[in-house]
Amino acid sequence: MSSTLPYDIQSIRSEFPILERKVKGKTLVYFDNAATSQKPKQVIDAIAHYYSYYNANIHRGLHTLADEATADFEASRAVVQSFIQAKHHEEIIFTKGTTESINLVANSWGNAFLNEGDEIIISSLEHHANIVPWQMIAEKKGASIKVIPIDGNGKLDMNAFEKMLSKKTKFVSIVHASNALGVINPVEEIIALAHQQGALVMVDGAQSSVHLDIDVQKMDCDFFAFSGHKIYGPTGIGILYGKKHLLESMPPYQGGGEMIKEVTFEKTTYNELPFKFEAGTPNIADAIVLKSAIEFINRVGKSNIRKHEDLLLEHATSKLKDIPGLHIIGDIQPKVSVISFTIDGVHPQDLAILLDNQGIAVRTGHHCAQPLMQCLGIVGTTRASFAAYNTIEEVDIFIEALNKAIKMLK
Amino acid sequence: MESHPTISSVERSIIEDFSLFDTWEQKYEYIIDIGKKLPELNDQYKTEEFKIKGCQSSVWIHSFEKEGRVYFEGDSDAVIVKGLVSLMIQVLSGHTPQEIIDAPLEFIDKVGLSSHLAQTRSNGLRAMIKQMKMDAGVYLIKGRGIRDEGRDNTVNG
């Protein structure tokens, strides 16, 4: 098995053409993987191959190209199914990304089942994509939103969560791993507690799906969402997983082609799962190519990647702690390979500019989690996030560049 | 009457200053230095009203008109951005509204700072310029109506 092989970082790096790029005359150090990961050659080639060889609209065409495209589109669905251990292939819905997946559930489920006085629980760690859709549907239906508080390191207050739960709680939508801090939430415990009260739970897996082994059946989440572009795949494609009986009970999210069984001007009957939720011509190319991205992860081995990323995280954490005035936000276990920090007297934006001039890509700011930054009493952080192709040497280059930037700014 | 250098002559002297720098470090050390030297904006203007939207850092620009010329002052909580504010003030402050509106600001590209214009969402140099030109536009319209020279015609963002 791949887990017994040594981790050949140079061979992995050679699969990512972008890593050869120079930025401002320096070799790129890409530490913005939590925003989007780079793509291996097999993903880039698969996109070109689809458009060069068998581009066709799927599911209805009675010709060879349509058959081939349909077969690969559905094969990709099956690969995604096993990637997250879903029970049925029709529980896998192709969307544009995590954001659309959450909006789909908030709108479809929310419109059908949410009533005045109901409560939705989210946490202080949420990305705006897991806040705003719930605010919109809550406002429309007269429901309210409760927020699980955190401590200064981003750890959820589980006692507060338990107290928050009641028969009024209809839905809990929670991030698996925080994009801003990297901390991993105890989703299984949250799901079990919510289920005791009869509430459904959606897990935002945008950050977790690339690092952690996902088993939606074991986790027992009702919905799970993630994006292709954060798992070495293309942008514009994502996944919504939902338990079959729940998806079946939900009305369509959008109307159009593909999602219908029969249309007359008087009445339309809807197609079965998963097509009911895939109105219009889907993003065929990127859905097909998502399979190549997952095959890359499976070939290298998620646990091998995780071990490598943990080494990078550990090395970076210990080096960053040596810098006077630097505070790591979310320095707790367990976490994914994301490290977020502030430095006394240094604005994150200034750091980003000076790091960029040294060829280093990090993310600065509120990370689309403004309420979280308010909870932590900070304007933003600088965030370095690591992927399969990053190296210890790159971490050292980053630390050196960071020290240089701090010296210039102070 | 007091003579004022034109916007393009100020731009030329900035381009000259920057041409002395051999490395990106020298360029940014200079921007950081002028950022640190820019006088702090009076707290009464460091409010939401004067804040430029679309910047990752907080940027405030306050303007006033005196004898037909528009003057700017500004601040930021990020020092490089404050340096950019300082550069923009050097170039645009003390000119007539029409001159400010018409200024092509070619120096930004010539001194190698155009990347700051592209990053509209996070950086705000573009938003800063837009605000300063909008302020000038408001003074231009006001000037066509009543002449109220010498008064602090605070324009807010």
Side-chain angles (χ1 to χ4, degrees), chain B residues 9-84:
Chain B
S9 73
V10 182
E11 286 194 43
R12 269 198 304 277
S13 87
I14 289 174
I15 294 165
E16 233 166 79
D17 287 348
F18 273 76
S19 72
L20 300 173
F21 305 139
D22 296 323
T23 62
W24 72 269
E25 286 96 332
Q26 289 170 342
K27 185 165 81 182
Y28 278 94
E29 270 159 6
Y30 174 76
I31 296 169
I32 291 164
D33 190 49
I34 59 170
K36 284 180 179 167
K37 282 180 182 150
L38 184 71
E40 253 191 60
L41 186 66
N42 194 312
D43 275 348
Q44 74 181 105
Y45 302 121
K46 279 167 126 174
T47 60
E48 277 302 308
E49 208 179 329
F50 296 98
K51 204 167 171 176
I52 309 283
K53 308 288 182 288
C55 308
Q56 202 179 85
S57 50
S58 295
V59 183
W60 302 271
I61 299 281
H62 169 249
S63 64
F64 58 93
E65 188 198 20
K66 204 175 169 189
E67 294 166 355
R69 292 177 184 277
V70 181
Y71 295 85
F72 295 100
E73 42 189 21
D75 211 336
S76 173
D77 59 347
V79 69
I80 293 176
V81 180
K82 200 172 169 185
L84 297 175

Side-chain angles (χ1 to χ4, degrees), chain A residues 17-28:
Chain A
I18 208 168
L19 298 178
E20 285 166 25
R21 234 205 100 158
K22 301 272 181 213
V23 170
K24 314 252 161 122
K26 282 114 187 156
T27 303
L28 168 70

Side-chain angles (χ1 to χ4, degrees), chain A residues 29-43:
Chain A
V29 173
Y30 186 77
F31 282 173
D32 196 15
N33 295 287
T36 196
S37 59
Q38 298 302 344
K39 320 306 171 199
K41 202 162 175 299
Q42 75 186 81
V43 165

Side-chain angles (χ1 to χ4, degrees), chain A residues 24 26 347-350 353-354 356-358 364-365 404 408-410, chain B residues 24-25 28-29 32 36 56-57 77-81 115-116 122-123:
Chain A
K24 314 252 161 122
K26 282 114 187 156
H347 196 285
Q349 187 176 358
D350 289 331
I353 293 168
L354 297 182
D356 176 54
N357 274 282
Q358 300 176 76
T364 56
K404 181 173 181 167
M408 284 174 75
L409 289 164
K410 278 195 170 170
Chain B
W24 72 269
E25 286 96 332
Y28 278 94
E29 270 159 6
I32 291 164
K36 284 180 179 167
Q56 202 179 85
S57 50
D77 59 347
V79 69
I80 293 176
V81 180
S115 66
H116 292 281
S122 60
N123 196 281

Side-chain angles (χ1 to χ4, degrees), chain B residues 4-7 10 68-70 90-97 99-100:
Chain B
H4 292 269
T6 62
I7 287 180
V10 182
R69 292 177 184 277
V70 181
Q90 274 183 54
V91 173
L92 292 179
S93 197
H95 300 282
T96 67
E99 284 170 338
I100 294 165

